[in-house]
Amino acid sequence: SGPRPRRAGDGRALARRAVAAGAVLLANKDVLPLDPEHLGTVAVIGAHAARTRTQGGGSAGVFPRDEVSVLDGIRAELRGRARVVHVPGPRPDGPAPPLDPDTCTDPRSGLPGVLLRMLDADGRELYAERRRGGRLLEPRLVPGAHTVEIRARLCPRTGGSWSLGVAGFGRMSLNSDGRTLLEGDFPPSTDDPAVMHVNPPAQYATADLTAGRDTLLVARRELAPGTGRATVLVAAPPAPDVTASLAEAVRAAGAADAAVVVVGTTEHGESEGYDRTDLALGATQDALVRAVAAANPRTVAVVNSGGPVELPWREQAGAVLLAWFPGQEGGGGLADVLFGHAEPGGRLPTTWPAVLADAPVTRTRPDGGRLDYDEGLHLGHRGWLRHHRTPAYWFGHGLGYTTWRYEELTVPPVTRAGDGLTVRVRVRNTGARAGREVVQVYLARPASALDRPARWLAGYAAVRARPGEAVTATVRVPARALRHWSVAEHAWRTEAGPCRVLAGRSAGDVPLAAEVEVVPTASA
């Protein structure tokens, strides 16, 4: 059955389908898809489950009115059918996040969110509106506007020393129940537009708050020239004890019929404006997945990142699902995948190492002002193949909810230089469920006189088949896939001779092979 839209509207339904189409199932020990009819309790674990990263940071970010978290999606799917227990686990590394509507209300209307006010130089209100959260990047400018103000009634569920702050540039202040927590002039430290307008630094203070007792937060920032318009009100409860948080997660997972643990990167680690120095999710997030998987073999680890990360626990989890940054309908689309309404349709566009040190190219810092591209053509999966290294997951990898057998590869015996070729691959659905397979075709020239990759992607095609059905994928390999750049002739050329054609599921899984002879032409 197809995905079920969360609410009416073609745009939202399309965004939801795109989530499932792009999700990559990295591993599955017959845990997915989950069957709601056999679930009494599902434990949803991890801070990223409730605050799912839906998009990249910096200027890649847009801020929709509504976002569906993984927790939202699972709750909607199982409402009235199974109990959903959420345990946040240890807090991911990083600064306090912007206020969200789950933790605050607009003091004027009492509705979830914050009150945005624009004030004149004498503090008189010129404009006001309710916003859903504390990240206000472009507050409405009105004539005479001098100050941006954000008011929010914070409803702490946890007592103790909270970290409160306001982000932006210029003269800013923050007070709690009329008590000034911080005040000062914070000039821009950069002219980077991503920092200035999207992700300005925050200034922090601490305040002792009591669980269940509301506090009124008021943040103000003057709109001085050259300081941008972004103003962000942030808050974080006391960091929970890591050992206690892990123990709570283990108890919830052990008592559940299945567990979904969501881990990922943060905006202050993987984002525009930052260079990543490693691919680790962090010791606490790795420990969380290991602990949950040990407590429940039916654990699905959902990875919420925009690029490769190390997954040292990948063999321990019952299934590993790569969500990427799934967009505003992310939780609904991922629920469709988790519960089998849609098949995960994505395939890896990169090769993922088990550890960063295994990757063939990691040195990208100039030495004495010079950076030599010694790897030449051997980038990505081509570099892994050249060095005979085995990654955690190959370029092109991705599973569905059925199994496939590659039966036959057909290629023309001869092709002329300058022409492409048509490749046909017969595959059979050997599972019990209808499914979709992405058939990939690679080329190799082992007898070439040129420096060539061991093999390289030349084309692909998606096919669908019912259980037991055989279908043929037709892949058109363009002429450019056979060409190389001649430095001596300053032109594209095609080398004559035998060319090996391979077909399979990824750059590291190509069970079928055939040969075609490339014959020269006068112009090639």
Side-chain angles (χ1 to χ4, degrees):
S1 62
R4 297 179 291 183
R6 177 169 172 264
R7 60 181 67 172
D10 290 343
R12 297 183 74 95
L14 176 61
R16 182 165 176 160
R17 290 197 300 272
V19 176
V24 180
L25 183 58
L26 296 177
N28 188 18
K29 300 175 183 176
D30 294 326
V31 171
L32 289 179
L34 299 172
D35 183 356
E37 300 303 319
H38 295 88
L39 297 173
T41 300
V42 174
V44 182
I45 297 169
H48 280 74
R51 191 187 283 268
T52 306
R53 286 197 72 187
T54 61
Q55 57 194 304
S59 58
V62 294
F63 302 96
R65 285 188 170 272
D66 190 23
E67 293 180 317
V68 184
S69 69
V70 174
L71 180 60
D72 292 334
I74 293 175
R75 280 176 170 164
E77 173 65 31
L78 296 181
R79 186 171 292 118
R81 308 166 76 184
R83 179 169 172 255
V84 177
V85 176
H86 176 238
V87 175
R91 181 190 296 170
D93 295 335
L99 275 179
D100 64 33
D102 289 335
T103 56
C104 64
T105 58
D106 167 6
R108 182 169 291 177
S109 68
L111 296 174
V114 306
L115 176 65
L116 164 67
R117 300 203 306 158
M118 303 300 288
L119 311 177
D120 66 13
D122 296 320
R124 289 187 294 262
E125 181 181 301
L126 301 175
Y127 174 80
E129 66 170 303
R130 181 174 67 92
R131 292 286 189 96
R132 284 186 54 81
R135 187 194 297 268
L136 304 174
L137 301 187
E138 292 187 355
R140 179 175 176 180
L141 287 182
V142 294
H146 177 270
T147 301
V148 179
E149 182 188 86
I150 308 172
R151 287 179 174 258
R153 193 167 294 284
L154 177 63
C155 317
R157 299 189 183 100
T158 303
S161 181
W162 278 64
S163 179
L164 305 173
V166 57
F169 294 107
R171 184 151 193 84
M172 301 189 301
S173 66
L174 174 65
N175 69 65
S176 170
D177 288 335
R179 181 171 65 92
T180 299
L181 298 180
L182 64 86
E183 187 171 16
D185 200 326
F186 306 96
S189 57
T190 177
D191 59 0
D192 183 337
V195 175
M196 179 74 72
H197 301 293
V198 180
N199 194 27
Q203 311 301 323
Y204 292 98
T206 58
D208 289 327
L209 304 182
T210 303
R213 180 183 297 174
D214 292 357
T215 183
L216 179 64
L217 299 180
V218 179
R220 288 181 177 173
R221 188 175 78 81
E222 293 183 5
L223 291 170
T227 61
R229 290 164 59 187
T231 310
V232 186
L233 178 58
V234 299
D241 177 76
V242 172
T243 301
S245 296
L246 291 175
E248 184 184 12
V250 166
R251 285 194 296 271
D257 299 298
V260 178
V261 56
V262 189
V263 291
T265 57
T266 68
E267 187 174 349
H268 295 271
E270 185 189 17
S271 173
E272 180 185 45
Y274 296 93
D275 288 331
R276 298 170 71 188
T277 58
D278 58 50
L279 299 183
L281 288 174
T284 55
Q285 290 201 85
D286 288 339
L288 177 64
V289 181
R290 286 193 179 99
V292 171
N296 192 325
R298 294 179 58 76
T299 290
V300 181
V302 177
V303 182
N304 183 200
S305 73
V309 292
E310 295 175 1
L311 308 174
W313 36 260
R314 64 189 182 281
E315 301 294 340
Q316 298 164 253
V320 182
L321 179 66
L322 175 57
W324 305 109
F325 296 152
Q328 69 179 69
E329 296 298 317
L334 291 169
D336 290 337
V337 171
L338 292 171
F339 296 99
H341 304 307
E343 192 176 41
R347 301 297 183 266
L348 283 183
T350 51
T351 300
W352 284 39
V355 294
L356 178 59
D358 290 346
V361 179
T362 57
R363 190 187 67 81
T364 57
R365 185 180 296 276
D367 183 5
R370 179 181 176 85
L371 179 62
D372 293 321
Y373 291 83
D374 297 326
E375 66 275 8
L377 298 171
H378 305 279
L379 291 168
H381 67 278
R382 296 171 291 186
W384 286 88
L385 291 165
R386 182 190 198 189
H387 294 283
H388 304 288
R389 298 181 184 179
T390 302
Y393 302 107
W394 282 101
F395 169 86
H397 173 73
L399 307 176
Y401 286 154
T402 188
T403 55
W404 299 86
R405 182 170 66 242
Y406 279 68
E407 296 186 336
E408 186 178 42
L409 170 63
T410 304
V411 300
V414 176
T415 187
R416 294 185 307 170
D419 291 346
L421 63 147
T422 299
V423 177
R424 292 180 172 83
V425 184
R426 189 177 72 225
V427 296
R428 186 177 300 275
N429 182 344
T430 55
R433 173 178 170 138
R436 172 182 176 271
E437 176 71 337
V438 179
V439 177
Q440 300 164 40
V441 171
Y442 294 81
L443 299 181
R445 303 295 297 264
S448 176
L450 304 167
D451 178 28
R452 290 187 181 273
R455 55 180 171 269
W456 63 94
L457 181 70
Y460 60 92
V463 293
R464 298 180 182 273
R466 297 183 296 274
E469 182 183 12
V471 292
T472 298
T474 300
V475 181
R476 177 66 181 170
V477 176
R480 66 176 180 272
L482 292 161
R483 292 174 180 155
H484 66 274
W485 178 256
S486 171
V487 176
E489 300 177 65
H490 298 283
W492 291 100
R493 293 290 181 252
T494 304
E495 184 181 27
C499 179
R500 191 166 172 80
V501 181
L502 306 102
R505 312 195 69 197
S506 72
D509 182 6
V510 281
L512 300 181
E515 195 168 277
V516 59
E517 185 73 19
V518 181
V519 297
T521 63
S523 60

